[in-house]
Amino acid sequence: MRANETADMAQDRREVLLDQLTDHVLTHGLADTGLRTFAAAIGTSDRMLIYYFADKASLMTALMQNVAVRLTRALEGVAGEGPRPAAQLARELPTLATSEQFWPYMRFWLAVAAQAAGGDPVCRTVGESIGRGFLTWITNQLSGDPAKHPQQAALLLQLIEGAILLHAIGLGDVVEQASLPRTA
């Protein structure tokens, strides 16, 4: 076997492991991110994880980035009818963020935010990247005056974050109430 075939096989195996780990954290969260726990969850050894990811920080960074890629793909799938007014997005996005489809990502996002708040530099760096990516996605969903889009997107992101937190602590009814269509 040639060196480039071996490298390709190693890269393929790394991607399979990363996808399995991503499935695991989206299902079970980030409560226990020990290498042994991760390895057991996907049927491999902690040494194999180190072989493919060098160290835990590299593994966690790759894992968080993979979750972000999946979230981006899922968001692209619901971009829907194209740009909409900020008021319409303010009603739609909290419901979308707390939907069954997106809740595993939002639960993961809350865990990353909590670890970042606790001083975890990997979570802070990757969390910022995910947050800015989501902000860009929101901006691209806005219609109207492009000069107002940065402020509108920032306000919408704050609104969504509040909805995610309220949903997580059992106040989903408040999120639903705030997202109801306006009546004349």
Side-chain angles (χ1 to χ4, degrees):
M1 194 175 294
R2 293 189 303 247
N4 61 344
E5 289 176 357
T6 302
D8 288 345
M9 287 175 55
Q11 182 61 30
D12 290 348
R13 178 67 179 143
R14 183 181 192 275
E15 289 175 17
V16 166
L17 293 171
L18 189 55
D19 279 337
Q20 290 173 328
L21 288 168
T22 301
D23 292 342
H24 175 75
V25 299
L26 287 175
T27 301
H28 301 285
L30 286 174
D32 186 356
T33 60
L35 290 176
R36 288 189 179 121
T37 301
F38 276 168
I42 63 170
T44 192
S45 70
D46 54 336
R47 288 181 180 217
M48 201 50 61
L49 292 177
I50 294 298
Y51 173 80
Y52 285 104
F53 296 97
D55 57 28
K56 185 177 176 184
S58 297
L59 170 66
M60 293 303 294
T61 299
L63 176 61
M64 289 183 211
Q65 289 171 339
N66 202 44
V67 171
V69 166
R70 283 193 188 181
L71 175 59
T72 300
R73 284 187 198 137
L75 288 170
E76 288 169 358
V78 297
E81 60 199 57
R84 298 178 294 292
Q88 182 179 347
L89 286 170
R91 289 187 302 277
E92 294 173 359
L93 293 179
T95 302
L96 178 68
T98 58
S99 70
E100 188 175 321
Q101 177 185 3
F102 285 96
W103 189 244
Y105 296 101
M106 299 305 108
R107 190 179 63 231
F108 175 84
W109 174 247
L110 285 170
V112 169
Q115 289 185 23
D120 185 309
V122 172
C123 286
R124 179 163 174 103
T125 299
V126 175
E128 180 182 357
S129 176
I130 292 170
R132 291 196 184 281
F134 197 38
L135 190 60
T136 298
W137 182 85
I138 295 168
T139 301
N140 292 336
Q141 302 308 302
L142 288 165
S143 63
D145 182 0
K148 294 180 180 178
H149 289 179
Q151 181 185 25
Q152 290 172 332
L155 289 169
L156 287 167
L157 182 59
Q158 289 180 11
L159 175 72
I160 295 164
E161 293 304 317
I164 292 166
L165 180 62
L166 290 172
H167 183 82
I169 63 170
L171 294 174
D173 60 315
V174 174
V175 176
E176 290 174 20
Q177 182 64 36
S179 299
L180 292 174
R182 280 192 247 165
T183 55

